[in-house]
Amino acid sequence: MYPILINFGPFLVPSWHAMYAIGALAAFWLFTKLARNKTPDVNLPQLSRIFSICYVAGYFGARLLSILIEEPEVMSINSIFAALGRFGPMTFYGGALASAFCGSIYAWKNRLPVGKLLDCAIPAGLLALAIGRIGCFLNGDDYGKPVEFINGQSQPFWAVTFPNLADNIPRYPVQLIESTFALLICALCVLLLGRKKRGVGIGAGIVAAIGVLGYGVARFLLEFIRDDYRGMIPWTALSTSQGISLILVITSAAFMIHSQRRI
Protein backbone atom coordinates (compact mmCIF):
# COMPACT_ATOMS: atom_id res chain seq x y z
CA MET A 1 0.00 0.00 0.00
CA TYR A 2 2.46 2.62 1.27
CA PRO A 3 5.77 0.83 1.92
CA ILE A 4 7.54 4.19 2.29
CA LEU A 5 5.98 6.37 4.95
CA ILE A 6 8.21 9.41 4.41
CA ASN A 7 10.23 10.18 1.27
CA PHE A 8 12.14 13.44 1.51
CA GLY A 9 15.03 13.42 -0.96
CA PRO A 10 17.56 10.82 0.19
CA PHE A 11 15.72 10.49 3.51
CA LEU A 12 13.42 7.46 3.53
CA VAL A 13 11.32 6.05 6.37
CA PRO A 14 9.91 2.58 5.58
CA SER A 15 6.39 2.12 6.91
CA TRP A 16 6.96 -1.23 8.59
CA HIS A 17 10.15 -0.15 10.35
CA ALA A 18 8.50 3.06 11.53
CA MET A 19 5.52 1.19 12.99
CA TYR A 20 7.85 -1.38 14.56
CA ALA A 21 9.73 1.41 16.34
CA ILE A 22 6.53 3.22 17.36
CA GLY A 23 5.09 -0.04 18.64
CA ALA A 24 8.20 -0.71 20.74
CA LEU A 25 8.09 2.79 22.26
CA ALA A 26 4.35 2.46 22.97
CA ALA A 27 4.93 -0.94 24.59
CA PHE A 28 7.69 0.47 26.81
CA TRP A 29 5.45 3.36 27.88
CA LEU A 30 2.50 1.09 28.73
CA PHE A 31 4.63 -1.57 30.41
CA THR A 32 6.39 0.89 32.70
CA LYS A 33 3.15 2.78 33.44
CA LEU A 34 1.29 -0.40 34.44
CA ALA A 35 4.21 -1.97 36.26
CA ARG A 36 4.97 1.09 38.37
CA ASN A 37 1.39 0.96 39.62
CA LYS A 38 1.16 -2.82 40.07
CA THR A 39 4.72 -3.58 41.21
CA PRO A 40 5.91 -0.43 43.05
CA ASP A 41 8.85 -2.37 44.52
CA VAL A 42 10.34 -2.82 41.05
CA ASN A 43 12.14 0.39 40.12
CA LEU A 44 12.35 2.00 36.69
CA PRO A 45 15.92 0.83 35.92
CA GLN A 46 14.86 -2.76 36.57
CA LEU A 47 11.78 -2.34 34.37
CA SER A 48 13.94 -0.83 31.63
CA ARG A 49 16.35 -3.76 31.90
CA ILE A 50 13.51 -6.27 31.64
CA PHE A 51 12.09 -4.49 28.62
CA SER A 52 15.50 -4.39 26.92
CA ILE A 53 15.98 -8.13 27.48
CA CYS A 54 12.51 -8.84 26.10
CA TYR A 55 13.11 -6.56 23.11
CA VAL A 56 16.37 -8.24 22.10
CA ALA A 57 15.00 -11.73 22.78
CA GLY A 58 11.86 -10.87 20.83
CA TYR A 59 13.80 -9.79 17.77
CA PHE A 60 15.95 -12.91 17.61
CA GLY A 61 13.04 -15.18 18.53
CA ALA A 62 10.94 -13.72 15.73
CA ARG A 63 13.78 -14.17 13.24
CA LEU A 64 14.55 -17.71 14.43
CA LEU A 65 11.01 -19.03 14.06
CA SER A 66 10.72 -17.37 10.66
CA ILE A 67 13.99 -18.97 9.54
CA LEU A 68 12.87 -22.41 10.70
CA ILE A 69 9.50 -22.09 8.96
CA GLU A 70 10.19 -20.04 5.84
CA GLU A 71 13.84 -20.75 5.01
CA PRO A 72 14.19 -24.55 4.72
CA GLU A 73 17.52 -24.14 2.94
CA VAL A 74 19.02 -22.95 6.23
CA MET A 75 19.79 -26.29 7.84
CA SER A 76 23.01 -26.23 9.85
CA ILE A 77 23.58 -24.48 13.17
CA ASN A 78 26.20 -22.21 11.60
CA SER A 79 23.87 -21.16 8.79
CA ILE A 80 21.08 -20.45 11.29
CA PHE A 81 23.38 -18.18 13.30
CA ALA A 82 24.45 -16.46 10.08
CA ALA A 83 20.80 -15.94 9.10
CA LEU A 84 20.02 -14.48 12.52
CA GLY A 85 22.64 -11.82 11.87
CA ARG A 86 20.93 -10.44 8.78
CA PHE A 87 17.61 -8.69 8.31
CA GLY A 88 14.70 -10.75 7.09
CA PRO A 89 11.12 -11.86 7.78
CA MET A 90 10.02 -12.16 11.40
CA THR A 91 7.23 -14.18 13.02
CA PHE A 92 5.25 -12.65 15.87
CA TYR A 93 4.82 -15.83 17.87
CA GLY A 94 8.55 -16.50 17.85
CA GLY A 95 9.23 -13.05 19.25
CA ALA A 96 6.43 -13.20 21.82
CA LEU A 97 7.47 -16.59 23.18
CA ALA A 98 11.16 -15.67 23.36
CA SER A 99 10.35 -12.37 25.10
CA ALA A 100 8.09 -14.02 27.66
CA PHE A 101 10.60 -16.78 28.37
CA CYS A 102 13.69 -14.58 28.72
CA GLY A 103 11.87 -11.85 30.64
CA SER A 104 10.37 -14.38 33.06
CA ILE A 105 13.72 -16.09 33.64
CA TYR A 106 15.36 -12.74 34.40
CA ALA A 107 12.56 -11.74 36.78
CA TRP A 108 12.64 -15.13 38.53
CA LYS A 109 16.41 -15.13 38.98
CA ASN A 110 16.23 -11.63 40.44
CA ARG A 111 13.30 -12.51 42.72
CA LEU A 112 10.91 -10.14 41.01
CA PRO A 113 7.12 -10.82 40.84
CA VAL A 114 6.94 -12.76 37.58
CA GLY A 115 3.14 -13.06 37.47
CA LYS A 116 2.51 -9.38 38.11
CA LEU A 117 5.11 -8.34 35.56
CA LEU A 118 3.52 -10.62 32.96
CA ASP A 119 0.17 -8.99 33.74
CA CYS A 120 1.74 -5.71 32.66
CA ALA A 121 3.84 -7.06 29.80
CA ILE A 122 1.10 -8.91 27.89
CA PRO A 123 -1.10 -5.83 27.26
CA ALA A 124 2.04 -3.88 26.34
CA GLY A 125 2.95 -6.55 23.81
CA LEU A 126 -0.57 -6.50 22.39
CA LEU A 127 -0.35 -2.74 21.94
CA ALA A 128 2.94 -3.16 20.08
CA LEU A 129 1.35 -5.82 17.89
CA ALA A 130 -1.65 -3.60 17.12
CA ILE A 131 0.67 -0.86 15.88
CA GLY A 132 3.03 -3.26 14.11
CA ARG A 133 0.22 -4.86 12.10
CA ILE A 134 -0.61 -1.44 10.67
CA GLY A 135 2.95 -1.43 9.35
CA CYS A 136 2.36 -4.88 7.86
CA PHE A 137 -0.75 -3.54 6.13
CA LEU A 138 1.06 -0.52 4.71
CA ASN A 139 3.89 -2.76 3.51
CA GLY A 140 1.58 -5.40 1.99
CA ASP A 141 2.86 -8.18 4.29
CA ASP A 142 0.84 -10.88 6.05
CA TYR A 143 -1.97 -10.37 3.56
CA GLY A 144 -5.38 -12.03 3.56
CA LYS A 145 -7.07 -14.46 1.22
CA PRO A 146 -9.02 -13.28 -1.84
CA VAL A 147 -12.55 -12.11 -1.12
CA GLU A 148 -15.12 -14.29 -2.84
CA PHE A 149 -17.97 -12.44 -4.51
CA ILE A 150 -20.18 -13.15 -7.51
CA ASN A 151 -19.07 -11.82 -10.89
CA GLY A 152 -20.75 -8.52 -11.58
CA GLN A 153 -20.91 -7.55 -7.95
CA SER A 154 -18.95 -4.53 -6.91
CA GLN A 155 -15.91 -5.06 -4.73
CA PRO A 156 -16.75 -4.79 -1.00
CA PHE A 157 -15.66 -1.44 0.38
CA TRP A 158 -13.50 -3.10 3.02
CA ALA A 159 -11.58 -5.35 0.62
CA VAL A 160 -8.06 -4.24 -0.31
CA THR A 161 -5.74 -4.81 -3.25
CA PHE A 162 -2.02 -4.91 -2.56
CA PRO A 163 0.10 -3.44 -5.38
CA ASN A 164 3.18 -5.40 -4.29
CA LEU A 165 1.39 -8.68 -5.09
CA ALA A 166 0.70 -7.48 -8.65
CA ASP A 167 -2.44 -9.62 -8.98
CA ASN A 168 -5.18 -6.98 -8.62
CA ILE A 169 -7.16 -9.34 -6.35
CA PRO A 170 -9.32 -7.87 -3.54
CA ARG A 171 -8.31 -9.45 -0.24
CA TYR A 172 -9.33 -9.50 3.40
CA PRO A 173 -7.54 -6.73 5.36
CA VAL A 174 -6.47 -9.33 7.90
CA GLN A 175 -3.66 -7.12 9.23
CA LEU A 176 -6.11 -4.41 10.29
CA ILE A 177 -8.54 -6.97 11.71
CA GLU A 178 -5.76 -8.46 13.84
CA SER A 179 -4.66 -4.98 14.88
CA THR A 180 -8.20 -4.22 16.06
CA PHE A 181 -8.48 -7.47 18.02
CA ALA A 182 -5.07 -6.90 19.66
CA LEU A 183 -6.04 -3.37 20.67
CA LEU A 184 -9.39 -4.52 22.13
CA ILE A 185 -7.76 -7.32 24.13
CA CYS A 186 -5.11 -4.87 25.33
CA ALA A 187 -7.83 -2.48 26.50
CA LEU A 188 -9.61 -5.32 28.32
CA CYS A 189 -6.40 -6.27 30.14
CA VAL A 190 -5.78 -2.66 31.18
CA LEU A 191 -9.36 -2.38 32.48
CA LEU A 192 -8.96 -5.58 34.49
CA LEU A 193 -5.74 -4.29 36.00
CA GLY A 194 -7.62 -1.12 36.93
CA ARG A 195 -10.27 -3.21 38.71
CA LYS A 196 -7.51 -4.93 40.64
CA LYS A 197 -6.26 -1.54 41.76
CA ARG A 198 -9.69 -0.78 43.21
CA GLY A 199 -9.57 -3.92 45.32
CA VAL A 200 -11.30 -6.54 43.18
CA GLY A 201 -9.41 -9.80 43.70
CA ILE A 202 -7.60 -10.99 40.57
CA GLY A 203 -4.65 -13.29 41.13
CA ALA A 204 -1.20 -12.60 39.71
CA GLY A 205 -0.90 -13.85 36.15
CA ILE A 206 -4.65 -14.01 35.50
CA VAL A 207 -4.73 -10.83 33.41
CA ALA A 208 -1.78 -12.13 31.37
CA ALA A 209 -3.59 -15.43 30.86
CA ILE A 210 -6.74 -13.63 29.70
CA GLY A 211 -4.69 -11.62 27.21
CA VAL A 212 -2.95 -14.73 25.86
CA LEU A 213 -6.21 -16.67 25.71
CA GLY A 214 -8.02 -13.87 23.89
CA TYR A 215 -5.28 -13.37 21.34
CA GLY A 216 -4.81 -17.10 20.84
CA VAL A 217 -8.48 -17.55 19.94
CA ALA A 218 -8.46 -14.51 17.66
CA ARG A 219 -5.26 -15.58 15.92
CA PHE A 220 -6.47 -19.15 15.42
CA LEU A 221 -9.59 -17.87 13.65
CA LEU A 222 -7.78 -15.18 11.66
CA GLU A 223 -5.41 -17.77 10.23
CA PHE A 224 -8.30 -19.09 8.15
CA ILE A 225 -8.33 -15.86 6.12
CA ARG A 226 -4.57 -15.32 5.90
CA ASP A 227 -2.92 -16.24 2.63
CA ASP A 228 0.83 -15.96 3.21
CA TYR A 229 2.81 -19.10 4.05
CA ARG A 230 3.60 -19.62 7.75
CA GLY A 231 4.36 -23.31 7.79
CA MET A 232 1.97 -26.23 8.32
CA ILE A 233 1.58 -28.79 11.09
CA PRO A 234 2.27 -32.24 9.57
CA TRP A 235 -0.79 -34.37 8.78
CA THR A 236 -3.17 -31.49 9.46
CA ALA A 237 -4.66 -28.51 7.64
CA LEU A 238 -3.54 -26.16 10.42
CA SER A 239 -0.79 -23.58 10.12
CA THR A 240 2.10 -23.41 12.56
CA SER A 241 0.55 -20.31 14.09
CA GLN A 242 -2.72 -22.16 14.67
CA GLY A 243 -0.86 -24.95 16.43
CA ILE A 244 0.88 -22.45 18.71
CA SER A 245 -2.45 -20.70 19.29
CA LEU A 246 -4.07 -23.96 20.42
CA ILE A 247 -1.26 -24.67 22.86
CA LEU A 248 -1.46 -21.15 24.30
CA VAL A 249 -5.26 -21.25 24.61
CA ILE A 250 -5.20 -24.61 26.40
CA THR A 251 -2.32 -23.57 28.68
CA SER A 252 -3.92 -20.23 29.58
CA ALA A 253 -7.32 -21.80 30.25
CA ALA A 254 -5.73 -24.50 32.42
CA PHE A 255 -3.80 -21.86 34.39
CA MET A 256 -6.95 -19.81 34.99
CA ILE A 257 -8.95 -22.88 36.13
CA HIS A 258 -6.14 -23.96 38.43
CA SER A 259 -5.87 -20.46 39.89
CA GLN A 260 -9.61 -20.31 40.55
CA ARG A 261 -9.49 -23.62 42.42
CA ARG A 262 -6.77 -22.28 44.68
CA ILE A 263 -8.85 -19.26 45.72
Side-chain angles (χ1 to χ4, degrees), residues 240-255:
T240 304
S241 295
Q242 285 178 311
I244 296 174
S245 294
L246 282 176
I247 293 172
L248 292 178
V249 167
I250 294 170
T251 303
S252 300
F255 172 78

Side-chain angles (χ1 to χ4, degrees), residues 1-3 137-141 143 160-171:
M1 302 293 284
Y2 299 97
F137 175 79
L138 295 174
N139 203 44
D141 296 330
Y143 47 86
V160 293
T161 302
F162 294 100
N164 59 299
L165 299 180
D167 56 13
N168 201 35
I169 296 176
R171 297 176 179 273

